[in-house]
């Protein structure tokens, strides 16, 4: 077990290699760090809600009508995610943030969809990490809630990539050799 038992006890939020509750050697973060990271995720959910509400209304043109309607659905799903993440933060003893991440705006519809896809990609990466961190702490119920959110976020990726005429980005940790 690698632990930092140096004189700086205040630096407890860093990731340490420990034996997790499931007996395997994993990266384990403090409860406070998990709360901080979940609050970042919550700020990103707020950002997504705002972006989807605005983008669904400002997308113009026949080619964007279907995705604009889908973005309205995404907005309500992101609100459900925000509520779930808020409950998890409260369960851990934290206070949910009230501040969203900044929302980008453009007059170019394709650019708006690109902003959304980029944000969804970041969200998927972060939630995958959050699942690992929660499991390392033995917080399996938290990991399961995040997995449920992750499934919807990946559906959002598919919707946005399809609207942009692109393949869904490869977000896996494993890269295939060429």
């Amino acid at each position: 077990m690698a632990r930092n038992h140096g004189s700086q006890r205040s630096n407890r939020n860093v990731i340490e290699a420990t034996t997790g509750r499931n007996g395997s050697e994993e990266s384990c973060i403090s409860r406070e760090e998990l709360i901080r990271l979940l609050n970042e995720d919550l700020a990103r959910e707020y950002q997504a809600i705002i972006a989807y509400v605005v983008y669904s209304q400002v997308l113009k043109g026949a080619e964007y009508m279907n995705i604009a309607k889908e973005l309205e659905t995404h907005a309500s799903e992101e609100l459900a995610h925000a509520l779930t993440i808020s409950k998890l933060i409260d369960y851990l003893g934290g206070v949910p943030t009230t501040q969203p991440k900044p929302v980008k705006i453009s007059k170019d519809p394709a650019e708006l969809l690109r902003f959304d896809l980029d944000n969804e990609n970041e969200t998927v990466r972060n939630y995958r990490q959050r699942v690992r961190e929660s499991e390392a702490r033995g917080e399996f119920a938290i990991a399961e809630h995040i997995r449920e959110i992750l499934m919807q976020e990946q559906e959002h990726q598919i919707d946005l990539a399809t609207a942009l005429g692109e393949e869904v980005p490869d977000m896996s940790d494993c890269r295939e050799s060429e």
Side-chain angles (χ1 to χ4, degrees), residues 33-45:
E33 181 66 1
L34 184 55
I35 291 167
R36 186 188 71 73
L37 292 168
L38 287 170
N39 264 314
E40 283 185 18
D41 298 331
L42 181 57
R44 199 170 302 100
E45 293 292 353

Side-chain angles (χ1 to χ4, degrees), residues 42-59:
L42 181 57
R44 199 170 302 100
E45 293 292 353
Y46 294 156
Q47 173 194 46
I49 294 164
I50 296 166
Y52 283 135
V53 166
V54 172
Y55 298 175
S56 70
Q57 301 309 306
V58 300
L59 284 175

Side-chain angles (χ1 to χ4, degrees), residues 22 28 31 33 36 39-40 46 48 61 63 78 91 93 96 105-106 118 125-126 163 165 170-171:
N22 62 3
C28 190
R31 186 179 193 106
E33 181 66 1
R36 186 188 71 73
N39 264 314
E40 283 185 18
Y46 294 156
E63 68 271 32
E78 299 293 355
Y91 164 77
I105 194 73
S106 171
D118 291 346
R125 270 191 296 278
N126 289 330
D170 181 359
M171 303 297 297

Side-chain angles (χ1 to χ4, degrees), residues 139-153:
E139 295 287 358
F140 301 110
I142 289 176
E144 287 305 310
H145 283 293
I146 295 171
R147 276 190 178 92
E148 290 175 16
I149 293 171
L150 189 51
M151 288 189 299
Q152 281 190 331
E153 299 292 4

Side-chain angles (χ1 to χ4, degrees), residues 104-169:
K104 295 179 182 178
I105 194 73
S106 171
K107 292 182 187 229
D108 178 4
E111 207 168 61
L112 295 176
L113 296 176
R114 167 67 47 212
F115 296 154
D116 273 344
L117 182 57
D118 291 346
N119 289 337
E120 291 293 356
N121 292 341
E122 182 180 359
T123 298
V124 166
R125 270 191 296 278
N126 289 330
Y127 280 148
R128 285 180 175 181
Q129 182 62 33
R130 223 64 73 235
V131 166
R132 290 187 287 268
E133 292 160 348
S134 297
E135 287 183 343
R137 288 195 47 76
E139 295 287 358
F140 301 110
I142 289 176
E144 287 305 310
H145 283 293
I146 295 171
R147 276 190 178 92
E148 290 175 16
I149 293 171
L150 189 51
M151 288 189 299
Q152 281 190 331
E153 299 292 4
Q154 288 176 309
E155 288 175 15
H156 296 174
Q157 279 181 306
I158 293 167
D159 294 340
L160 292 163
T162 301
L164 287 166
E166 300 177 4
E167 294 292 319
V168 177

